[in-house]
Amino acid sequence: MQAPDTVQGFEKHLDGWLDGLSSPAKQGLAKWPTKQRILLACLLASLITALVFLPNRFFDPDLLHVSLVLGVLGLWRFGWWFTHSIRAAIYGRLIWPGMRRRADRVWQSGWRPRRLHIQMTTYYEDPAITRRVIGSIIGQIRREGIPTTLWIGTGSSYDETIITEFARTHGADVDAQLVFLRQNQPGKRMAIGMVLRAMNRAGIQPDDLVIFMDGDAVYGSDVLEKTCSMFGADPNLQALTTNEEVLCYGPDWIQSWLSMRFAQRRLAMQSHALSKRVLTLTGRMSVFRAKHMIDERFIRTIEADHLDHWLWGRFRFLSGDDKSTWYHLLSRRSKMTYVPDACVYTIEQIEGSGTGRMVQNFRRWSGNMLRNGARAIALGPGVCRPFIWWCVVDQRIAMWTMLVSPIMALLSLFIEPAYILNCLIWIVASRTLLCLFLFRYAREPDMSWPFILYFNQIINAGVKVFMVFHLSKQKWSNRGNQSAGDGTSLVDRLQNACAKFQLVTTVTAFVTGLAIYIGLLDASIIWN
């Protein structure tokens, strides 16, 4: 969906979209539009027709061993998916309702945090988006009556002027302070560190609450009540993150892709929360006990988090501040949770085809995951909790297993070209089944998801394989086109050449091993 050309048109459309998303989501068959029902029926009919009339080559003697590997990997991956689904259902239906009731009782009894601190960074955001973000914050502060300080890290007077004018007009009656901190060093991490140090100078108290949020995240209804009350009800809770929804102005398929990813996130977050941990404290919206903000190690982790690598040496992280805060709390065995009924709305504006932005996002997300995953694994299951620890391990295994099926299917073309048709049927049927589970966590089903899901998995796995050998390479266009790992010195060129050699030889060995297994290559010829 393309954004309207005029400012007034854009604001009107954005308001309408936000209002529509804020309404209660339909449940069951009621949320299936007629078009999507027809598409599902057509897809199922096509699959059944293909299964009935196309020869079943999965049991071809020359390819049975290929089918065996595809089947075992499929059962493993789908079993892992269904495990998450079961855990998510347990959390959503059995654990979460009690947590919400206890939090509501505490809130209704009059409990409020002594003070709320909202830490937000913004960087040349669209004025219409900024006004809606600040408006959503002001409205909820007014409603809940929580003394609040809004700390905003900026890069110029551009965002400061927009926020100041809006706050003076619409927030004069609100018990809140507005503090700007203009960063003198580049990067979001330095902006957050500057804000946290200012909080400490102002005398933040350990039991205050601190919200970390981005400048394009609009609060849904009752977000402050639904999140802050969790800390009043559970003294051991140290941090939480919320549900998210996305509004994307750009190619329609990017909106579908992002909506699918957020549905995956809802399922996974509820599964993780059953272990009283999560896999990330999302930068869009997370809430912390302020005692962590007082810890100099916490601040330095955000400002100067780094990795010591045998090839790349010591390099600092550009993005991934949410992973750094998560790792800090994880290493201290802190209790974390997910609040499914508190939603923030992320507003994305994407120009062009969107493919470049998709790959760039994967590079950033995958790089952040890989850079933090190794040290999280090193903490061990005793610190991370066994299920969460295995989730981190599985992220590193899955990037390779996900590539086995498509590579073996392509290699089988040299043995039996028609086998690829059976593989395509398996891909579409399996992803359709997975999406039927995923649709439970979507506002509205979208029958493009089975195809987008597979495309998402393949691209993501490929990017992860590339990034595991290029951990220092970072690029973040949202914060002034920051980049790292692209030096041109002799040492940089040697490091890049070494990384490329590792990548090529590893991928070659991976493909060669699969070719040997399916009988396309003779191992004795290679060794001799």
Side-chain angles (χ1 to χ4, degrees):
M1 179 181 297
Q2 298 301 318
D5 294 332
T6 65
V7 175
Q8 183 178 6
F10 177 69
E11 292 187 337
K12 183 177 180 181
H13 186 274
L14 182 56
D15 286 339
W17 200 349
L18 286 168
D19 288 342
L21 289 175
S22 64
S23 61
K26 296 178 181 179
Q27 299 297 322
L29 292 176
K31 71 178 182 180
W32 280 81
T34 302
K35 177 182 177 181
Q36 298 302 324
R37 295 187 189 190
I38 293 173
L39 290 174
L40 175 60
C42 291
L43 181 58
L44 293 178
S46 300
L47 287 171
I48 292 172
T49 301
L51 289 171
V52 170
F53 292 102
L54 287 178
N56 183 354
R57 298 180 180 85
F58 286 122
F59 297 105
D60 186 315
D62 292 333
L63 293 165
L64 184 60
H65 55 303
V66 177
S67 301
L68 179 64
V69 171
L70 298 182
V72 170
L73 287 177
L75 289 174
W76 174 31
R77 299 314 309 170
F78 300 151
W80 186 236
W81 184 290
F82 296 144
T83 298
H84 276 300
S85 297
I86 294 170
R87 287 174 56 89
I90 293 172
Y91 180 79
R93 296 184 181 184
L94 301 180
I95 306 300
W96 172 250
M99 295 171 62
R100 171 50 64 210
R101 285 193 296 270
R102 289 190 293 273
D104 286 345
R105 284 197 298 268
V106 167
W107 197 260
Q108 291 163 8
S109 71
W111 180 91
R112 297 292 185 275
R114 187 196 73 88
R115 191 165 193 87
L116 177 65
H117 302 266
I118 300 177
Q119 180 279 129
M120 186 180 87
T121 56
T122 184
Y123 187 81
Y124 286 98
E125 195 61 72
D126 187 291
I129 296 175
T130 297
R131 286 192 284 267
R132 273 137 194 86
V133 171
I134 300 301
S136 69
I137 295 172
I138 289 174
Q140 295 204 21
I141 294 173
R142 179 185 293 115
R143 172 181 170 175
E144 307 303 341
I146 307 173
T148 303
T149 302
L150 181 56
W151 307 83
I152 302 180
T154 67
S156 72
S157 61
Y158 174 82
D159 299 289
E160 297 168 7
T161 300
I162 296 169
I163 295 171
T164 300
E165 291 178 352
F166 187 90
R168 285 175 178 170
T169 303
H170 300 279
D173 61 327
V174 174
D175 182 12
Q177 292 180 301
L178 182 61
V179 180
F180 291 106
L181 293 105
R182 190 181 302 180
Q183 62 192 93
N184 53 14
Q185 297 185 56
K188 180 183 177 183
R189 286 177 173 272
M190 297 308 297
I192 295 175
M194 187 180 299
V195 169
L196 296 183
R197 293 185 183 283
M199 285 183 188
N200 278 283
R201 290 194 298 270
I204 188 172
Q205 297 299 308
D207 285 333
D208 291 350
L209 297 182
V210 179
I211 293 177
F212 278 39
M213 63 176 291
D214 283 347
D216 59 357
V218 179
Y219 287 2
S221 60
D222 305 333
V223 165
L224 292 187
E225 174 185 339
K226 290 173 179 175
T227 55
C228 294
S229 60
M230 302 299 296
F231 292 89
D234 186 352
N236 294 320
L237 180 63
Q238 301 302 315
L240 60 79
T241 193
T242 66
N243 183 17
E244 292 184 39
E245 192 64 81
V246 63
L247 295 79
C248 178
Y249 287 99
D252 290 341
W253 75 269
I254 289 287
Q255 173 67 58
S256 297
W257 169 60
L258 291 172
S259 295
M260 183 199 72
R261 285 191 62 88
F262 279 115
Q264 289 179 292
R265 179 182 181 275
R266 294 181 195 108
L267 186 155
M269 280 289 189
Q270 290 191 189
S271 171
H272 300 154
L274 193 62
S275 294
K276 299 179 182 179
R277 302 287 191 275
V278 291
L279 277 192
T280 184
L281 291 168
T282 312
R284 301 289 190 188
M285 172 70 179
S286 293
V287 191
F288 300 79
R289 287 199 187 273
K291 70 178 186 179
H292 301 288
M293 312 301 119
I294 302 172
D295 188 345
E296 175 68 17
R297 291 170 297 180
F298 181 87
I299 298 174
R300 287 302 294 161
T301 296
I302 295 176
E303 288 179 335
D305 204 359
H306 61 274
L307 189 67
D308 290 308
H309 190 269
W310 71 269
L311 174 61
W312 303 106
R314 173 168 293 189
F315 60 91
R316 295 175 65 172
F317 301 163
L318 292 182
S319 60
D321 54 277
D322 51 352
K323 283 288 189 180
S324 295
T325 56
W326 164 77
Y327 175 74
H328 180 90
L329 268 67
L330 184 71
S331 65
R332 285 152 181 78
R333 305 172 187 259
S334 299
K335 183 177 181 180
M336 302 172 247
T337 197
Y338 169 69
V339 181
D341 62 353
C343 188
V344 297
Y345 302 98
T346 300
I347 305 168
E348 296 275 3
Q349 297 188 78
I350 297 174
E351 298 179 356
S353 66
T355 306
R357 179 68 174 272
M358 178 187 189
V359 173
Q360 186 184 109
N361 282 346
F362 274 141
R363 286 191 62 175
R364 181 160 58 90
W365 298 334
S366 299
N368 292 337
M369 181 275 288
L370 292 169
R371 283 185 284 270
N372 285 275
R375 60 185 186 180
I377 292 171
L379 293 175
V383 174
C384 298
R385 295 290 179 92
F387 186 81
I388 296 298
W389 182 82
W390 180 250
C391 284
V392 181
V393 172
D394 181 71
Q395 287 179 333
R396 304 178 80 86
I397 298 173
M399 65 185 183
W400 293 103
T401 58
M402 187 61 234
L403 295 175
V404 170
S405 299
I407 292 175
M408 291 185 71
L410 291 174
L411 292 176
S412 68
L413 287 171
F414 296 97
I415 301 175
E416 173 54 74
Y419 185 75
I420 195 72
L421 294 176
N422 296 86
C423 292
L424 290 174
I425 294 171
W426 165 250
I427 289 169
V428 175
S430 60
R431 270 59 188 185
T432 300
L433 177 61
L434 293 180
C435 285
L436 291 176
F437 282 83
L438 201 56
F439 289 152
R440 296 176 56 197
Y441 299 90
R443 288 188 64 89
E444 183 177 294
D446 184 340
M447 289 313 301
S448 68
W449 282 14
F451 307 95
I452 294 176
L453 176 60
Y454 189 70
F455 181 63
N456 171 90
Q457 291 172 329
I458 296 298
I459 297 296
N460 195 18
V463 170
K464 284 180 180 178
V465 169
F466 174 83
M467 288 304 301
V468 78
F469 296 103
H470 297 84
L471 288 178
S472 70
K473 289 188 176 296
Q474 303 171 68
K475 185 175 179 58
W476 196 12
S477 61
N478 291 5
R479 298 294 296 186
N481 289 318
Q482 298 177 77
S483 62
D486 295 323
T488 57
S489 69
L490 177 60
V491 173
D492 293 326
R493 290 198 298 269
L494 289 173
Q495 288 174 325
N496 284 314
C498 182
K500 185 176 293 184
F501 175 78
Q502 291 180 87
L503 173 63
V504 171
T505 53
T506 302
V507 172
T508 300
F510 182 68
V511 175
T512 301
L514 294 178
I516 292 172
Y517 174 77
I518 70 173
L520 191 61
L521 291 177
D522 187 344
S524 61
I525 295 177
I526 295 175
W527 294 118
N528 293 331

